[in-house]
Amino acid sequence: MATSARLARLGASAFAAAGACTAVVTLHPIYSENDRGGGSGLEAAQRKIAESDGLVPSRAVQESALVGASSANPLDILVVGGGATGSGVALDAATRGLRVGLVEREDFASGTSSRSTKLIHGGVRYLEKAVFNFDYGQLKLVFHALEERKQFIDNAPHLCHALPCMTPCFSWFEVVYYWMGLKLYDLVAGPRLLHLSRYYSSQESSELFPTLAREGKGRILKGTVVYYDGQMNDSRVNVALACTAALAGAAVLNHAEVVAFLKDEATDRIIGARKEFETYAKVVVNAAGPFCDSVRKLAKKDVQPMICPSSGVHIVLPDYYSPEGMGLIVPKTKDGRVVFMLPWLGRTVAGTTDSSTNITMLPEPHEDEIEFILDAISDYLNVKVRRTDVLSAWSGIRPLATDPSAKNTESISRDHVVCEDYPGLVTITGGKWTTYRGMAEDAVNAAIKSGKVRATNDCVTQKLRLAGGYGWDPSFFTLLAQQYMRMKKTHGGKVVPGVMDTAIAKHLSRAYGTLAERVAAIAQNENLGKRLAHGYPFLEAEVAYCARNEYCESAVDFIARRCRLAFLDTDAASHALPRVVEILAAENNWDKSRQKQELKNARAFLETFKSSKNAQFHDGKHN
C-alpha cells in the first residue's frame, strides 16, 4: 500500500450551479442509469454492498479519486473526520447517489468513537429529567434515541446485541421508583422495545449476578430491576461504516490531515484544499468531533468555540467481576455519579467519570479517576476490588456542544448541533454514538442545501445493513467451525492444523459478520491461524485481512481499532505487537526502519492506557 498522504490543505468548491460536475469513474458511483429507472435507492445500495463481497477499493484508488476532484469537476460533499458521524455522513451521502470524499487525520474511530461506553442506549436518565422537569425537549431526545437504537442494532446485527442491565435497589421505595421508571422506558420505546424490564428478588439477583453484594455499607439489597439496552463493538462499527461507505462509492482516506482551506476570493466561500494534492467539493462537512473547533478556525480564526469537552474514563477488569450477559448500572452513587460494570468481549468494562478536560489527541486517565471507579464499584460487590486487576484503562473526550447561532448558550446540549457559520462549511457535532445515523442524515440534508447539489434519492440508511451484516444470523459461527481449519506455523517453521474452535469462530462471526469466511480462509490457506495473544481469540489472519480490506495502515490501527486488544489488555497487546508488525510489514513491504518505528509508536500509544503495570502509584487500598 502506498504511504498515506497528509493533506496540507483541504476544503470545498463554491460551485452552486446544479450539475456543475460529472461522475468520476474511479469513485465507482453506486447508481447507474438502470438503477434510477427501477428499484428503490435502498435496494440498489444494499445490492451494491452485498455484491462487493467486502472488497473495498484500494487506498491508491481512493487517493486518486480525491486528486481527481478538480475545481471544474468537484465532489458534491467532502467530509472532514472519520469518526462515527463522519463515516455515517459519507455512507448516507454516497447512498443518495452523491460524489463523496472523506478524510481523517488519524484512523477511523481513533478519537472518541473508539473510547465510548459501548452502550447503544435510549437515554433513560434523560427520561427522568423529562418527567421531573416537564422538559419536552428531553423527551424528544429519548424518543429519537430509542428509534435510532433499534435501527442501529438491526443494521449491524453482528456487531451489536441487546444487553440486560441490572439496577440494585436497597429500599422498597427504590424498588418501586426504578420499576416504574423503567416500565415507563419500556412504554416510550413502544415497538422499538428490545425486551421488557422486570423485577428480581434479592436471591434471584444473586443467582444472576454472583458478585453483587446483598449486604454491606449499612444496606440490605431488596432486589433489582433489570432493563435492556444495546451493546456494540464501537470501533469495529465505525470501521464497518467507513468500509461500507467505500463500497457504496465514497472515496475514504484515513491518515490524511486537513491543515488549511482555500477560499473563493469573490464570494469568500470555501472552495478547496491542498497538500501534495488538491481536492474540491461543493460543500465541506466538518465532523471532527472534539476537534471541530480546530477545523472551524481554519475557515475563520476568531470563530466562537462550540465544544465543551468532557472526559470519560473507563477501566477493564477480568471477566469474573461480572457474569457473561448481565451488566450492572447504579444510576446514582454516593456522590451523585453513574457507575456501571458491563461484560464486553470476554472481560468487564467499568466506569465512568464525567469531568471537564482539555482537548488532546491521546487523552490519558488520571490515577484518581481510576481509583474513583474502583471505589465506586467496590461499594456494590462482595469480592475484593484490586488495582492490580486493571487490565487496561482509557480516557475519551465527549464533544458536548453549544449552538453558536443560539441566543442562549448557557446550557450545553446532549443533543447534536448542525450549523453553517461559514459559507461552504457545515459543522455537525455533539450528540452520541446511538444517534450517529440521524446526525449524519441531518448533516447531509444541510450540506445538500448549502451546496445546492441534487441527490438521486432520499436518505436510505434507516434500513441499510453494514458490510458483513447482510445475510448474517447468530448461528453463522457454526459454518466457520465446521468448514475451516486454523493452519499455523510453529516456532520451528512446521505447519500444523488447529481446530476452528467455538470461541474463535464466535469471535470472527461477531467481528466480521459474513465476511468472517474470508478471514478464516486466510487462516487456513496462508498458515496464519495462530492466536496473537494467549487467552484471546484474535488470529494472525486478521492482521493480513485488515491490511488488505479495512485500510489498516499501522500497528496501532490494528491493536486499538481493528481488534480491541489494546482496550482489553494492554500487556497482551504489547506481547502481540512484534508479530502484528511482522505481518503488516509483509503486507506493506516495510523495511526494518519502518518496522522499528511502528513498534516504538505502538508501545508509546500503549503507555497511555493505564493498566496495573502502567499505574502511577499504588495507595495500598486496591492492591
Side-chain angles (χ1 to χ4, degrees):
M1 293 184 185
T3 303
S4 60
R6 290 242 171 226
L7 291 171
R9 294 186 181 174
L10 253 159
S13 84
F15 296 100
C21 63
T22 56
V24 175
V25 175
T26 52
L27 272 174
H28 309 295
I30 186 168
Y31 298 101
S32 67
E33 294 299 323
N34 291 334
D35 290 331
R36 290 172 184 154
S40 70
L42 173 62
E43 291 170 349
Q46 197 71 77
R47 183 170 64 251
K48 171 77 174 182
I49 294 164
E51 290 175 353
S52 70
D53 196 29
L55 296 172
V56 297
S58 70
R59 184 177 181 82
V61 168
Q62 300 292 58
E63 190 170 316
S64 176
L66 290 169
V67 172
S70 64
S71 59
N73 186 29
L75 298 170
D76 290 318
I77 295 175
L78 176 67
V79 185
V80 178
T85 306
S87 298
V89 169
L91 177 59
D92 187 316
T95 53
R96 296 197 203 194
L98 299 175
R99 293 183 59 222
V100 186
L102 179 148
V103 289
E104 160 59 44
R105 173 170 56 181
E106 295 296 328
D107 183 29
F108 308 118
S110 59
T112 304
S113 296
S114 63
R115 296 166 180 263
S116 76
T117 303
K118 324 301 179 195
L119 284 176
I120 312 165
H121 60 94
V124 68
R125 284 184 295 159
Y126 307 145
L127 180 61
E128 185 180 34
K129 291 178 183 178
V131 171
F132 285 100
N133 298 336
F134 299 100
D135 189 334
Y136 181 64
Q138 293 282 352
L139 185 60
K140 283 203 309 182
L141 191 62
V142 176
F143 273 114
H144 178 59
L146 286 169
E147 176 69 32
E148 292 296 333
R149 181 186 70 175
K150 185 67 167 63
Q151 292 175 342
F152 195 134
I153 296 173
D154 289 346
N155 290 342
H158 56 304
L159 293 164
C160 310
H161 61 273
L163 178 70
C165 298
M166 179 177 283
T167 300
C169 305
F170 296 96
S171 70
W172 292 115
F173 172 78
E174 286 187 344
V175 169
V176 174
Y177 180 82
Y178 289 127
W179 184 85
M180 291 181 63
L182 292 170
K183 283 300 177 184
L184 180 59
Y185 193 53
D186 293 347
L187 182 64
V188 171
R192 301 169 294 275
L193 180 70
L194 299 179
H195 297 284
L196 282 169
S197 60
R198 63 160 293 181
Y199 164 78
Y200 289 95
S201 69
S202 177
Q203 177 62 37
E204 291 172 321
S205 300
S206 293
E207 293 172 0
L208 290 168
F209 205 111
T211 54
L212 178 64
R214 294 176 67 176
E215 293 185 28
K217 306 289 183 181
R219 303 171 306 189
I220 297 176
L221 185 69
K222 303 300 183 184
T224 61
V225 181
V226 173
Y227 73 100
Y228 287 77
D229 262 328
Q231 190 178 48
M232 63 173 164
N233 187 339
D234 53 4
S235 72
R236 286 216 54 83
V237 174
N238 199 153
V239 169
L241 279 168
C243 291
T244 307
L247 296 173
V252 301
L253 196 66
N254 53 351
H255 300 285
E257 184 177 5
V258 178
V259 298
F261 286 129
L262 302 177
K263 300 177 183 177
D264 184 294
E265 292 183 2
T267 63
D268 200 35
R269 184 181 174 93
I270 293 174
I271 61 168
R274 173 189 311 119
K275 183 239 173 202
E276 294 164 8
F277 60 85
E278 295 179 353
T279 191
Y280 290 79
K282 296 175 183 177
V283 62
V284 170
V285 173
N286 170 15
F291 301 95
C292 79
D293 282 339
S294 299
V295 174
R296 293 168 68 233
K297 286 179 181 178
L298 297 178
K300 185 179 181 182
K301 290 183 179 180
D302 59 348
V303 70
Q304 178 185 341
M306 60 187 300
I307 292 297
C308 181
S310 172
S311 170
V313 171
H314 302 78
I315 64 174
V316 171
L317 300 164
D319 57 350
Y320 55 72
Y321 275 93
S322 64
E324 183 179 357
M326 179 65 76
L328 179 72
I329 294 185
V330 180
K332 187 174 289 187
T333 58
K334 56 190 177 185
D335 68 348
R337 290 194 261 189
V338 176
V339 68
F340 60 81
M341 286 174 47
L342 309 171
W344 184 64
L345 300 183
R347 297 292 178 264
T348 299
V349 60
T352 179
T353 63
D354 191 356
S355 54
S356 59
T357 186
N358 296 319
I359 297 176
T360 60
M361 283 298 298
L362 284 176
E364 298 184 27
H366 297 297
E367 193 68 26
D368 59 347
E369 294 174 308
I370 296 172
E371 295 290 346
F372 162 76
I373 296 172
L374 293 172
D375 278 336
I377 64 175
S378 68
D379 288 344
Y380 299 91
L381 300 181
N382 58 21
V383 296
K384 187 175 182 180
V385 180
R386 305 180 302 181
R387 178 62 174 90
T388 51
D389 281 340
V390 176
L391 302 173
S392 183
W394 72 87
S395 176
I397 301 174
R398 300 184 183 96
L400 304 181
T402 58
D403 189 342
S405 62
K407 294 181 180 179
N408 180 8
T409 58
E410 291 179 3
S411 61
I412 299 170
S413 175
R414 290 277 178 175
D415 202 355
H416 63 275
V417 173
V418 181
C419 65
E420 184 180 12
D421 51 359
Y422 198 92
L425 181 64
V426 172
T427 294
I428 171 75
T429 192
K432 55 185 180 179
W433 239 118
T434 306
T435 58
Y436 85 87
R437 194 214 60 80
M439 293 169 63
E441 181 179 353
D442 289 349
V444 174
N445 289 342
I448 286 173
K449 182 178 179 180
S450 171
K452 295 182 173 63
V453 298
R454 192 171 73 177
T456 305
N457 51 266
D458 293 331
C459 176
V460 299
T461 55
Q462 294 95 333
K463 297 185 182 298
L464 183 72
R465 287 209 168 182
L466 302 188
Y470 193 75
W472 181 89
D473 68 66
S475 66
F476 182 76
F477 74 94
T478 59
L479 182 149
L480 301 176
Q482 291 175 343
Q483 297 188 11
Y484 292 92
M485 296 289 291
R486 295 191 297 119
M487 306 300 291
K488 51 192 178 181
K489 286 185 179 180
T490 64
H491 290 297
K494 182 181 178 182
V495 177
V496 296
V499 175
M500 190 69 71
D501 61 72
T502 302
I504 288 174
K506 282 185 175 180
H507 155 65
L508 293 179
S509 174
R510 280 289 178 182
Y512 303 93
T514 55
L515 300 177
E517 286 188 273
R518 298 180 60 197
V519 184
I522 294 173
Q524 178 174 279
N525 302 333
E526 300 181 33
N527 307 327
L528 291 173
K530 197 172 182 180
R531 291 180 186 241
L532 288 167
H534 178 70
Y536 293 90
F538 308 116
L539 299 183
E540 294 174 334
E542 295 179 66
V543 186
Y545 174 83
C546 293
R548 299 170 195 174
N549 300 285
E550 292 189 351
Y551 303 115
C552 178
E553 296 293 309
S554 72
V556 171
D557 288 356
F558 182 79
I559 63 171
R561 292 170 291 269
R562 302 311 183 281
C563 89
R564 309 311 308 277
L565 206 47
F567 285 80
L568 290 169
D569 191 329
T570 307
D571 191 46
S574 183
H575 280 91
L577 266 179
R579 184 58 178 146
V580 171
V581 171
E582 186 179 4
I583 297 170
L584 286 175
E587 293 292 323
N588 300 325
N589 297 315
W590 290 345
D591 58 20
K592 292 293 184 183
S593 175
R594 172 65 187 272
Q595 294 178 53
K596 185 177 180 180
Q597 188 61 46
E598 283 289 328
L599 280 170
K600 181 180 178 181
N601 292 346
R603 285 182 173 137
F605 173 81
L606 290 176
E607 284 294 318
T608 68
F609 286 68
K610 302 302 181 183
S611 68
S612 58
K613 294 195 174 183
N614 286 345
Q616 297 171 14
F617 64 88
H618 294 288
D619 63 0
K621 189 192 311 182
H622 296 294
N623 284 340

